[in-house]
Amino acid sequence: MTKLLNLEPERRDAILNAALKEFTAQGYDKASTNVIAREAGISKALMFHYVSSKQELFLVVYDYFSELIKKEYFDVMNYDEKDIFEKLRQSYLLQIKLSEKYPFIFEFSKLSQTTNSNEINKELEKRICEEHSNCYPKLFDGIDETKFRKGLNIEKCKQFIFWSNVGFTNQILEEIRNCEKSFLDCNA
């Protein structure tokens, strides 16, 4: 097990957030460990005391955030909720909570992009296969469709609601990333 995950939470999160930000912005190949260390507020030598290589750091970041999203989003969602808008509200609140601590967590999917490293690509492929075998229900599965007006194409309505809400969520998440302290009242 890597020393990074055994650090006190504040230092661990600083390194993980810096690495996630750099890897999602630049991709594995162009990501700079100098930038990650500087952003985390530590020396590069100290960072490599906690992880042995850029590759290990990348895979630790991938695994850490994959597990975090599973535990603090997918496992917490109430998939029994039938009201589409209540389900979306629940999703927003969970995303906001995670984003306040890990501002780039919902950029996570960018980590799955193909790299110039065959070893990384094999590791990603293995991890993605495992994730797909543990699929979670989709956000709109099991919603009460009787609330939609008769004659509407319900699947298109769901897609439109989803696109609108993705835009709304991305706007909120961007505001969170740009603010030192969240101004949002999640209990409203």
Side-chain angles (χ1 to χ4, degrees), residues 27-30 53-56 58-59 111-125:
Y28 173 78
D29 299 313
K30 293 182 181 177
S53 65
K54 178 180 174 180
Q55 178 178 329
E56 182 185 1
F58 179 84
L59 294 173
L111 293 180
S112 298
Q113 296 173 350
T114 303
T115 73
N116 291 330
S117 166
N118 287 334
E119 196 171 327
I120 289 287
N121 292 339
K122 286 178 187 175
E123 288 296 322
L124 286 175
E125 188 175 318

Side-chain angles (χ1 to χ4, degrees), residues 73-147:
Y73 182 81
F74 288 112
D75 288 353
V76 179
M77 277 291 292
N78 176 7
Y79 293 101
D80 293 330
E81 175 61 56
K82 301 295 182 204
D83 185 290
I84 190 170
F85 294 106
E86 185 54 39
K87 200 177 255 189
L88 287 169
R89 180 179 184 281
Q90 184 186 131
S91 176
Y92 295 150
L93 295 178
L94 290 171
Q95 289 180 57
I96 290 168
K97 181 179 173 188
L98 278 170
S99 294
E100 287 176 333
K101 189 170 182 182
Y102 304 101
F104 292 90
I105 193 166
F106 289 101
E107 300 294 318
F108 173 80
S109 63
K110 292 179 182 177
L111 293 180
S112 298
Q113 296 173 350
T114 303
T115 73
N116 291 330
S117 166
N118 287 334
E119 196 171 327
I120 289 287
N121 292 339
K122 286 178 187 175
E123 288 296 322
L124 286 175
E125 188 175 318
K126 183 171 72 174
R127 283 163 168 79
I128 290 167
C129 285
E130 287 173 14
E131 289 168 9
H132 287 301
S133 69
N134 297 324
C135 285
Y136 288 92
K138 293 182 182 175
L139 189 60
F140 293 144
D141 284 355
I143 65 160
D144 181 2
E145 295 180 355
T146 64
K147 304 225 178 205

Side-chain angles (χ1 to χ4, degrees), residues 46-65:
L46 182 58
M47 183 176 71
F48 282 118
H49 171 73
Y50 301 136
V51 293
S52 62
S53 65
K54 178 180 174 180
Q55 178 178 329
E56 182 185 1
L57 178 60
F58 179 84
L59 294 173
V60 166
V61 166
Y62 187 94
D63 292 343
Y64 183 85
F65 285 103

Side-chain angles (χ1 to χ4, degrees), residues 15-30:
I15 297 167
L16 289 170
N17 274 321
L20 179 63
K21 180 180 180 183
E22 180 68 4
F23 285 131
T24 58
Q26 301 300 323
Y28 173 78
D29 299 313
K30 293 182 181 177

